[in-house]
Amino acid sequence: MKKILDNIEEYLLIFLFPIMTVIVFIATATRYLKLGAIPWSEELARYIMIWMAYIGAGLAVKKNAHLGVEAFVSLMPASVVKYLSKLRIAILILFNGMVIYFSFKIMIHQMNIGQTSPALQIPIWVAYLAMPTGALLMCIRTIQSVFPVKNNTSEGRG
């Protein structure tokens, strides 16, 4: 179970990407072969892409793959770099906390008005749920980068 939680972003992306690809391929093929359009395919592919982008943002934090200004940082003394690193972490957590808060407010509003998506007729808040989910993953991965979990396995011991 721990392995699944440690790699949840990878598993979700591995699951979602082929689904999106197949949906887009089938929709394109049916239009090209003049078999008719699949009205919900574009909307579903769009929502999957949105979810993948927010999940991928959490994965990028985990892998330390977000863009940085290394040229600027490398010019600074080590004591300043340490301070900037702490400032960066604080800003990330604050920003993602704000995204979580405000996106939940938007979701609550969407739930209250009962808006549904045009083609799929699913509650629109399901698509909006990607924002707080991605921001939460980014917060968790940022905190994990500050407080790494020690591996207490007994592999390789006598």
Side-chain angles (χ1 to χ4, degrees):
M1 183 66 172
K2 183 180 181 314
K3 183 178 187 224
I4 292 172
L5 291 176
D6 284 346
N7 300 306
I8 191 76
E9 296 95 343
E10 288 98 333
Y11 292 130
L12 288 170
L13 292 172
I14 287 169
F15 175 75
L16 290 172
F17 186 73
I19 292 172
M20 183 186 71
T21 305
V22 168
I23 290 168
V24 170
F25 175 78
I26 291 172
T28 303
T30 57
R31 273 195 313 266
Y32 180 76
L33 297 172
K34 300 195 187 323
L35 299 173
I38 304 173
W40 51 264
S41 62
E42 181 185 341
E43 187 175 296
L44 181 58
R46 183 181 324 117
Y47 292 154
I48 291 173
M49 176 70 83
I50 291 167
W51 271 92
M52 286 174 40
Y54 282 103
I55 293 168
L59 179 61
V61 170
K62 177 184 173 186
K63 304 231 181 231
N64 199 21
H66 278 279
L67 293 176
V69 188
E70 287 298 318
F72 175 72
V73 172
S74 65
L75 296 173
M76 298 291 164
S79 60
V80 174
V81 170
K82 188 176 181 180
Y83 169 75
L84 288 176
S85 176
K86 289 179 181 179
L87 180 63
R88 175 185 158 265
I89 289 166
I91 290 170
L92 275 170
I93 292 171
L94 178 66
F95 174 77
N96 284 303
M98 290 174 61
V99 169
I100 292 168
Y101 174 76
F102 287 112
S103 60
F104 264 117
K105 285 186 77 155
I106 293 169
M107 283 178 43
I108 298 299
H109 176 70
Q110 295 298 337
M111 287 178 189
N112 288 337
I113 64 172
Q115 183 179 358
T116 59
S117 66
L120 293 170
Q121 293 298 306
I122 60 171
I124 201 71
W125 65 264
V126 173
Y128 280 77
L129 183 62
M131 283 185 359
T133 302
L136 180 62
L137 286 170
M138 289 178 71
C139 274
I140 290 168
R141 297 309 184 184
T142 301
I143 293 167
Q144 284 179 335
S145 73
V146 175
F147 304 106
V149 178
K150 291 184 171 63
N151 189 359
N152 292 330
T153 61
S154 60
E155 293 176 21
R157 292 183 190 168

